Amino acid sequence: MSVNAVREAPEVPADNLHSLEQKIFRTIELLKTAREAKAAAERETARLREQLELRDEELESLRSENLALRKEREDVRSRVEKLLEQIETLAE
């Protein structure tokens, strides 16, 4: 680049420079806000994943308990049927 080209560069009016400066500051603020929102969203996501994991563990526990209770119910039903058969036999 020649020295003349540098000397001939148009001067930027102060208003344009101020306007550009304001746009840059607004962009920086928007970026900060976006980063804060992203960080908050990541924290919320982590919290929700932890809750989901706890719910999954609780669900598995409840399924196991339900299965055990069904088995117990079937055992009790079987014992009651046997008792009823014995009562019928004694009643005859």
Side-chain angles (χ1 to χ4, degrees):
M1 183 182 269
S2 72
V3 175
N4 289 338
V6 173
R7 286 186 210 160
E8 295 174 8
E11 289 190 28
V12 178
D15 290 341
N16 286 347
L17 187 57
H18 181 70
S19 175
L20 180 59
E21 186 178 56
Q22 291 302 315
K23 287 179 182 179
I24 291 171
F25 286 137
R26 279 190 301 232
T27 303
I28 290 170
E29 289 302 315
L30 287 172
L31 181 60
K32 286 180 184 178
T33 303
R35 285 182 178 167
E36 290 170 1
K38 180 183 177 190
E42 288 173 347
R43 285 190 302 272
E44 181 69 7
T45 299
R47 185 184 67 79
L48 291 172
R49 285 179 196 231
E50 185 177 321
Q51 278 186 347
L52 181 59
E53 187 176 315
L54 291 173
R55 296 285 191 251
D56 285 346
E57 291 171 4
E58 183 180 2
L59 178 61
E60 189 57 38
S61 173
L62 290 172
R63 283 182 177 160
S64 296
E65 183 180 350
N66 187 20
L67 187 62
L69 289 172
R70 285 178 186 226
K71 184 181 181 315
E72 183 180 343
R73 183 183 71 188
E74 289 302 316
D75 290 345
V76 169
R77 178 181 282 158
S78 176
R79 290 172 56 198
V80 168
E81 287 175 355
K82 287 179 184 177
L83 287 172
L84 288 174
E85 288 174 6
Q86 289 178 355
I87 290 173
E88 284 181 20
T89 303
L90 289 175
E92 293 177 352

